[in-house]
Amino acid sequence: MQGLLRTLLFFVGGAISIAQHTNIITAKLDGETKEISIQQEFIYKNQSDDVLETIYFNDWSHAYSNKNTGLAKRFAQEFRKSLHLAKDDERGYTKIVSAVDNAYRGLRWERASGQDIIKVQLNKSLSPGEEQKIFFTYTVKLPSNKFTPFGYGPRGEYYLKDWYLTPAVYDGKWHLYSNKNLEDLYTDVTNTTVNLSYPIGLFLASNFRVLGNSPFSSNQQAQLNGERQKNCEIILSPQKRFDTHVTEHLTVVTDIETSKYGKVSQGISINKVTNFIFKTLGTYPHTKLLVSEIDYEKNKLYGINQLPSFIRPYEEQFQFEMKFLKTALINILEETMYLDPRKEQWLSDAIANYLMISFVEEHYPDQKLLGKLSKVWGIRSFHLAKMDFNEQYPMLYMLMVRRNLDQSLLTSNDSLIKFNQKIANKYKAGLGLSYLANYIGKENVDNSIKSFYQHYQLSQVKSIDFKSILKRSTKEDINWFFDDYIATDKRIDYKIKKVVKTDDSLKVTLKNKTGIDAPISLFGLRNDSIVSKYWFSDVGTIKTFSIPKNNEDKLVLNYDQKIPEFNQRDNWKSLKGFLSSNKKLKLTFFKDAEDPYYNQIFYVPVLGFNIYDGWTPGMRIYNKTLLERPFVYDFAPSYAVKEKALVGYGKFTYRKYHGKSGLYVSNYSFRGSTAHFQENSRYSTVTPSVSFAWRPPDLLSNKRQVLNFRYVNVFRNKDESLEDFETPPDYSVLNLRYINSKNDIIDYSTWFVDAQHASDFTKLAFEWEYRKLFDNNRQFNLRFFAGKFLRNKTTNYADPNFFSFALDRPTDYLFDYSYLGRSEESGLSSQQIVIAEGGFKSFLDERYRFANDWITTVNTSTNIWRWIELYGDIGFVKNKGQSEKFVYDSGIRLNLLTDYFELYLPVYSNNGWEVSQPDYGTKIRFVVTLSPKTLIGLFNRKWF
């Protein structure tokens, strides 16, 4: 039957043979200079219907050449400075000596599209069916592998991939894709022979056939051949790392390993995996498959298995087989399915991840997500510990959906957020096929994948070809899968609106909350056991279905969680009566995965500190799971050991997403907090607020705009033994702030306008901050601040500066900053600085430190060596009834971690030469951030 189907497909659709080019390369690797000298004879065959005047070649090695390539810009988006700060000898590049045609006439060429694409102007037009021979002579300088796995390593190893010139794809238009470290080179397939000379003492492994390998006195000579393959991948290492496994269906060359899992066991597992691959995909057309640890590191099994090996939770066999399976599947599909890897990567991801899901279902059906940790006391009660291994796919995909950062599977690979590109979109793709298999039958999906792979391998193919095969496998309408699930970022979300009982049936009204036309499953439960299951489709908005009554006591949508649904918390409906609960309450220690079967409340001990309260142990109670949710409450009552009193905070927040761009989110919150600001002196705040945020359509962009309204109410009580308040004890401030930011690592720019209105003052402030990392690795920081009181009745207070603009240390009357000691005027805690308002670092005379009329300052710094910088500040301070005063300071900034940990060493200011003055240690200022949430942001910004 399968053979008949394959024959039918051939006559109906036809496999389009890839253009056959011929490529002969003679290359010599110099171990001293890390350069490869290359002579390349390339025969380009024009199999298009167009006359070609130019031919484009991929020169991905040149992406490492400077700070303005597509690769360098991609790194900057991911907050990676390594390529920007690299030394010249660490960079890679291609130096082309000559390009001539078969008549030995020179060819004009130039760099285009991100500098790693070569445009070759032909001397004679190339008609359809004709061939053009081109001779290239060039040198490739390999980069250090500190940027990407490609290049040379510190222990004498080399990883060569996409290392020579390859033809770009032309199918009516040229597809010119720059190297952005996405593993998606789009090149035509060639018959390639490589004659490689490389240093003595290195062992070679390759995805090509090694026809011969001979040592000589000064080097080694190897000849490699690849028929109808895209690129020659070569790994050279000082140790013999690779083993060859000849299985029934596939010859594998691999160095994949797992600690404490022997060679014999590895061989058995490799045979098991290759049998599974043959059963699900069929015959692999090449002579061998390279499965390397390097390839695995580029596409890891993200999740719990990233833990250090000494606490790795999985059995060694499972760990090894999953590593090998994932890497083998990715390499097989890359070597044989010639999809556009930047535009249609989703299909390869879907097949690979679907087969991984199937492998676990078949061979490890009881495998838990936390592995052996799921049986450990203190962990086993968590829902995360009870989740099956395959439940990570919807969870990690939904992580991005709940953050409103999910992207369509048809989004170009270089437009994806890193977490989507590496994890979420791959998981969504595989999960989609699994969902489809659950709906139309697993056998239909399995047979479609195998027929597609066998029919279109080594051929130019598009995802529409897979769609046609899949649609012929079932009578069900599956257009929703391609038109909505694949092509859009629409979310699946249903709820049971109501259930009406009759004598022999149940009339169930379902509500489609998002409008996507995807089928939904309905389960009937009795005593938590499944007694019925139904599939429903075509639920436009609201639709009622009638099902037989089978003594169910609950109806649950998507009970087996096979459908990646946005919100499963409203999928339950109890049939026991009005007062019966749909879900039970569950108290859980620490944060957990979302369990749709329960109403979850979490609790966790917390510990805070400031010099007035001392240590503040407490208990945090909240409802936030690992997945973001719209409504969150969070309470943290604590006990101040030093004050022997209750402190803490509580807040309610509601977040509403409106879309992906423009006005994309609104936040509404109500927060209250209480602590001490002096000995036996308490402050409490009550703050309602609302904010709106905008972002551009390009989700990779770090540009944001935020408009925030809040009404801060402060209540203070002071110890009777201390002096009375020098300002009103209670006050309220209406605060409006607009922020416009571009948070890039090379060009950082942000500005805001802030307005505050209270009973005794109205003030405006403006701040602009700019950071620039230049090509010479010099970083320049510039900050400008200006503030003006429109009215000010606080000058009559005993402390006229409490609400004033501060030159170096704001009084923080809105309690925004995490001061260790907010009322201290001496001691270590008084040296803490928050770069706000005036932004000065020196403690100037009291006459200069505050402004109750207006203030304007400029803060600058530039690096002199790595994280050591020189800083300088100048400004004017104006108080009512006085003339403005010119202020300045300068010194050394140790910028260990920008905005998180910095030291400022004053040198010269209005105080004179501060380094020569007594008690210099008390003049040093520091920036410190202790908030775990803030520090986690350093990691998140690279992924989200």
Side-chain angles (χ1 to χ4, degrees):
M1 183 65 185
Q2 288 185 358
L4 179 61
L5 176 61
R6 194 176 304 161
T7 303
L8 179 63
L9 286 172
F10 179 80
F11 287 108
V12 173
I16 303 172
S17 177
I18 275 289
Q20 291 299 293
H21 310 298
T22 302
N23 194 16
I24 301 174
I25 293 174
T26 301
K28 182 178 181 180
L29 171 62
D30 188 324
E32 294 295 326
T33 63
K34 313 300 182 188
E35 294 180 347
I36 308 176
S37 302
I38 299 175
Q39 292 182 322
Q40 182 173 359
E41 177 185 329
F42 194 92
I43 301 175
Y44 186 94
K45 185 174 182 179
N46 182 8
Q47 289 197 354
S48 73
D49 296 327
D50 300 323
V51 176
L52 300 180
E53 305 288 342
T54 59
I55 300 176
Y56 289 87
F57 289 85
N58 302 296
D59 181 19
W60 273 25
S61 297
H62 201 71
Y64 302 84
S65 61
N66 60 61
K67 307 176 184 188
N68 299 305
T69 63
L71 180 64
K73 293 175 181 177
R74 180 75 181 192
F75 277 10
Q77 288 177 326
E78 296 176 356
F79 292 88
R80 297 174 57 183
K81 292 193 292 187
S82 57
L83 188 57
H84 191 96
L85 300 177
K87 301 175 183 176
D88 289 341
D89 62 350
E90 294 176 328
R91 297 187 179 281
Y93 56 82
T94 301
K95 182 179 180 181
I96 297 179
V97 177
S98 64
V100 300
D101 61 16
N102 53 333
Y104 298 102
R105 293 178 300 175
L107 295 169
R108 288 179 295 170
W109 63 271
E110 62 181 358
R111 296 199 172 275
S113 184
Q115 303 184 37
D116 52 10
I117 301 292
I118 300 290
K119 177 183 178 182
V120 177
Q121 184 71 43
L122 300 178
N123 292 323
K124 178 183 177 183
S125 299
L126 189 63
S127 300
E130 291 185 345
E131 295 181 346
Q132 173 66 61
K133 184 179 292 187
I134 302 175
F135 297 93
F136 292 105
T137 301
Y138 57 98
T139 299
V140 172
K141 166 65 171 65
L142 297 175
S144 166
N145 66 1
K146 64 189 293 184
F147 317 119
T148 68
F150 172 80
Y152 66 88
R155 292 180 292 275
E157 68 274 20
Y158 297 87
Y159 176 52
L160 310 182
K161 186 178 183 182
D162 309 327
W163 54 282
Y164 53 81
L165 302 183
T166 61
V169 173
Y170 181 82
D171 57 5
K173 66 175 182 178
W174 288 102
H175 296 270
L176 307 178
Y177 300 154
S178 290
N179 181 359
K180 296 184 179 180
N181 193 34
L182 300 174
E183 296 292 321
D184 59 355
L185 177 70
Y186 195 25
T187 178
D188 263 344
V189 179
T190 62
N191 295 328
T192 300
T193 299
V194 176
N195 299 295
L196 177 66
S197 173
Y198 62 99
I200 289 289
L202 296 177
F203 294 89
L204 181 147
S206 176
N207 62 328
F208 276 24
R209 284 188 302 158
V210 180
L211 303 179
N213 195 349
S214 303
F216 291 91
S217 58
S218 60
N219 56 29
Q220 301 180 75
Q221 298 284 342
Q223 187 175 63
L224 304 95
N225 177 257
E227 297 293 328
R228 301 183 72 182
Q229 289 185 261
K230 291 192 291 186
N231 206 284
C232 180
E233 182 176 346
I234 294 175
I235 300 175
L236 300 171
S237 57
Q239 298 83 31
K240 190 177 186 303
R241 293 167 22 202
F242 287 83
D243 295 318
T244 300
H245 296 263
V246 180
T247 70
E248 181 181 0
H249 306 294
L250 190 62
T251 297
V252 176
V253 178
T254 184
D255 67 338
I256 293 280
E257 61 181 18
T258 299
S259 60
K260 300 179 183 178
Y261 196 57
K263 295 292 185 182
V264 175
S265 298
Q266 290 179 24
I268 295 172
S269 288
I270 289 173
N271 191 64
K272 174 182 174 182
V273 171
T274 55
N275 283 338
F276 173 81
I277 292 174
F278 175 77
K279 181 181 72 173
T280 53
L281 289 180
T283 303
Y284 180 65
H286 298 307
T287 58
K288 68 177 180 179
L289 176 69
L290 179 67
V291 184
S292 69
E293 192 77 30
I294 293 176
D295 286 332
Y296 169 72
E297 288 295 321
K298 292 182 294 187
N299 293 281
K300 297 179 181 179
L301 286 165
Y302 291 98
I304 192 70
N305 47 290
Q306 296 301 107
L307 292 172
S309 58
F310 66 90
I311 56 172
R312 193 158 291 163
Y314 301 125
E315 298 291 343
E316 299 301 330
Q317 179 179 348
F318 177 76
Q319 180 82 11
F320 176 83
E321 289 176 6
M322 293 303 293
K323 283 180 62 175
F324 183 85
L325 174 65
K326 180 171 187 178
T327 310
L329 285 172
I330 291 173
N331 287 355
I332 285 173
L333 294 171
E334 180 182 323
E335 290 277 358
T336 57
M337 300 304 298
Y338 300 144
L339 292 154
D340 183 335
R342 188 154 290 184
K343 303 295 185 182
E344 296 193 304
Q345 180 65 36
W346 76 266
L347 183 52
S348 295
D349 292 337
I351 294 173
N353 284 278
Y354 171 76
L355 293 181
M356 290 179 65
I357 293 172
S358 299
F359 182 82
V360 172
E361 289 177 344
E362 179 178 337
H363 295 284
Y364 298 96
D366 299 322
Q367 180 66 50
K368 296 298 181 184
L369 178 58
L370 296 188
K372 292 177 285 188
L373 295 178
S374 63
K375 299 178 181 179
V376 175
W377 182 88
I379 298 178
R380 61 190 178 204
S381 61
F382 284 90
H383 179 61
L384 194 65
K386 299 174 182 177
M387 292 173 62
D388 291 333
F389 181 83
N390 282 342
E391 288 186 70
Q392 67 176 307
Y393 294 92
M395 183 177 71
L396 292 176
Y397 158 57
M398 202 55 59
L399 182 69
M400 298 301 283
V401 175
R402 294 286 187 86
R403 295 169 66 104
N404 196 34
L405 291 173
D406 55 312
Q407 294 170 278
S408 160
L409 293 181
L410 296 188
T411 304
S412 178
N413 211 22
D414 60 343
S415 296
L416 290 173
I417 296 169
K418 184 176 181 180
F419 194 92
N420 287 334
Q421 193 266 328
K422 286 288 188 181
I423 303 174
N425 273 36
K426 296 179 185 294
Y427 284 10
K428 179 187 178 183
L431 191 64
L433 285 183
S434 184
Y435 170 24
L436 199 61
N438 196 34
Y439 178 56
I440 68 174
K442 190 174 189 307
E443 183 179 358
N444 292 333
V445 173
D446 289 349
N447 290 339
S448 296
I449 290 174
K450 190 168 186 177
S451 297
F452 173 73
Y453 179 78
Q454 287 298 303
H455 184 66
Y456 285 105
Q457 62 179 232
L458 305 182
S459 301
Q460 192 82 7
V461 64
K462 297 181 181 298
S463 58
I464 194 173
D465 300 313
F466 178 69
K467 178 181 179 180
S468 64
I469 292 177
L470 198 57
K471 290 187 70 173
R472 285 193 290 268
S473 72
T474 179
K475 296 180 180 179
E476 302 289 346
D477 180 8
I478 60 171
N479 285 324
W480 59 269
F481 179 74
F482 293 94
D483 298 342
D484 288 330
Y485 187 88
I486 299 297
T488 74
D489 58 5
K490 294 179 181 178
R491 292 86 181 263
I492 302 170
D493 197 10
Y494 289 88
K495 70 175 293 184
I496 301 175
K497 188 171 180 63
K498 66 178 180 178
V499 178
V500 177
K501 299 179 184 179
T502 63
D503 291 339
D504 58 355
S505 65
L506 300 171
K507 292 185 177 180
V508 184
T509 301
L510 301 183
K511 180 178 181 180
N512 186 343
K513 296 163 65 177
T514 57
I516 183 173
D517 187 19
I520 185 71
S521 58
L522 176 70
F523 291 80
L525 303 183
R526 184 172 64 245
N527 298 326
D528 294 331
S529 297
I530 299 173
V531 295
S532 60
K533 178 183 178 182
Y534 307 92
W535 280 96
F536 300 112
S537 58
D538 299 322
V539 184
T541 305
I542 296 177
K543 194 170 184 179
T544 300
F545 300 89
S546 183
I547 62 174
K549 185 184 289 184
N550 199 18
N551 294 322
E552 296 93 343
D553 56 38
K554 285 188 182 75
L555 293 179
V556 187
L557 294 172
N558 191 21
Y559 180 74
D560 57 0
Q561 301 180 57
K562 296 291 186 181
I563 302 171
E565 195 179 2
F566 178 73
N567 177 20
Q568 298 182 38
R569 298 187 302 275
D570 57 1
N571 283 7
W572 292 66
K573 183 68 71 173
S574 174
L575 303 179
K576 292 181 179 179
F578 178 75
L579 296 177
S580 62
S581 174
N582 288 332
K583 294 185 289 184
K584 299 176 182 178
L585 182 65
K586 183 180 182 182
L587 292 172
T588 304
F589 174 74
F590 203 64
K591 186 181 290 189
D592 195 3
E594 187 170 277
D595 187 347
Y597 305 156
Y598 291 90
N599 289 310
Q600 296 167 287
I601 298 177
F602 305 103
Y603 63 94
V604 63
V606 292
L607 183 65
F609 175 81
N610 66 56
I611 65 172
Y612 313 112
D613 291 313
W615 294 106
T616 55
M619 186 65 68
R620 183 181 173 208
I621 302 168
Y622 58 105
N623 72 329
K624 186 176 181 180
T625 64
L626 294 177
L627 298 180
E628 187 176 296
R629 57 197 311 173
F631 176 73
V632 174
Y633 57 81
D634 190 348
F635 300 93
S638 303
Y639 180 74
V641 174
K642 194 171 180 180
E643 286 288 336
K644 296 181 174 59
L646 288 176
V647 294
Y649 70 86
K651 62 180 177 179
F652 299 93
T653 60
Y654 176 75
R655 176 169 293 173
K656 173 66 175 177
Y657 287 114
H658 306 291
K660 284 297 194 310
S661 61
L663 175 61
Y664 76 99
V665 66
S666 301
N667 292 287
Y668 309 88
S669 72
F670 187 86
R671 177 186 173 91
S673 66
T674 183
H676 291 84
F677 63 95
Q678 282 184 356
E679 183 179 349
N680 200 26
S681 302
R682 177 186 293 273
Y683 75 88
S684 300
T685 63
V686 176
T687 307
S689 67
V690 58
S691 67
F692 308 95
W694 293 261
R695 69 184 178 199
D698 178 12
L699 297 190
L700 286 178
S701 171
N702 293 314
K703 294 180 179 179
R704 295 291 185 273
Q705 299 175 65
V706 179
L707 181 62
N708 182 57
F709 299 87
R710 61 176 177 166
Y711 189 53
V712 183
N713 301 277
V714 179
F715 311 95
R716 296 183 296 168
N717 296 302
K718 205 166 189 178
D719 190 323
E720 294 180 359
S721 64
L722 301 175
E723 296 180 3
D724 292 336
F725 281 103
E726 298 173 335
T727 59
D730 304 331
Y731 53 89
S732 299
V733 179
L734 178 64
N735 181 213
L736 181 149
R737 175 174 289 196
Y738 171 77
I739 305 171
N740 189 308
S741 66
K742 178 187 175 186
N743 185 16
D744 286 346
I745 201 168
I746 305 299
D747 281 292
Y748 172 94
S749 177
T750 182
W751 60 269
F752 70 75
V753 177
D754 185 272
Q756 297 179 19
H757 176 76
S759 60
D760 288 338
F761 69 87
T762 302
K763 61 198 293 191
L764 286 176
F766 172 81
E767 178 182 301
W768 175 64
E769 186 174 1
Y770 176 73
R771 299 174 191 159
K772 172 69 175 179
L773 183 60
F774 293 98
D775 286 350
N776 62 0
N777 296 338
R778 180 78 65 190
Q779 179 167 299
F780 177 71
N781 306 295
L782 176 65
R783 178 179 175 272
F784 172 79
F785 178 82
K788 169 66 177 174
F789 277 92
L790 302 183
R791 66 185 184 91
N792 189 359
K793 299 179 182 179
T794 68
T795 54
N796 298 322
Y797 293 167
D799 180 4
N801 293 322
F802 186 70
F803 295 103
S804 297
F805 295 109
L807 187 65
D808 69 281
R809 183 178 164 92
T811 56
D812 193 26
Y813 53 87
L814 297 181
F815 297 91
D816 288 331
Y817 309 129
S818 299
Y819 280 135
L820 298 176
R822 62 181 58 253
S823 300
E824 298 304 292
E825 297 182 0
S826 62
L828 181 63
S829 62
S830 69
Q831 295 174 237
Q832 181 186 4
I833 185 175
V834 174
I835 305 300
E837 299 189 3
F840 268 53
K841 290 79 186 179
S842 292
F843 292 103
L844 299 187
D845 187 273
E846 197 69 28
R847 296 171 298 167
Y848 306 135
R849 295 187 66 185
F850 297 96
N852 58 29
D853 189 357
W854 58 264
I855 184 176
T856 178
T857 61
V858 175
N859 316 119
T860 64
S861 66
T862 185
N863 62 313
I864 54 177
W865 182 78
R866 293 189 179 180
W867 38 266
I868 300 177
E869 303 178 4
L870 296 178
Y871 74 82
D873 307 317
I874 60 172
F876 289 91
V877 174
K878 175 69 167 64
N879 285 285
K880 286 190 174 183
Q882 302 177 19
S883 61
E884 64 272 13
K885 297 178 175 62
F886 177 67
V887 289
Y888 59 91
D889 71 358
S890 60
I892 296 174
R893 176 191 187 193
L894 304 183
N895 188 7
L896 303 174
L897 193 57
T898 302
D899 297 333
Y900 296 91
F901 185 56
E902 307 172 16
L903 291 175
Y904 290 89
L905 311 177
V907 175
Y908 189 75
S909 69
N910 290 80
N911 297 329
W913 288 99
E914 300 200 39
V915 291
S916 63
Q917 296 172 1
D919 299 323
Y920 180 73
T922 63
K923 300 176 183 294
I924 297 174
R925 308 297 292 273
F926 64 90
V927 171
V928 62
T929 299
L930 301 178
S931 168
K933 181 179 179 181
T934 305
L935 293 173
I936 288 172
L938 283 172
F939 167 80
N940 285 350
R941 67 183 185 177
K942 297 181 180 181
W943 285 88
F944 303 105

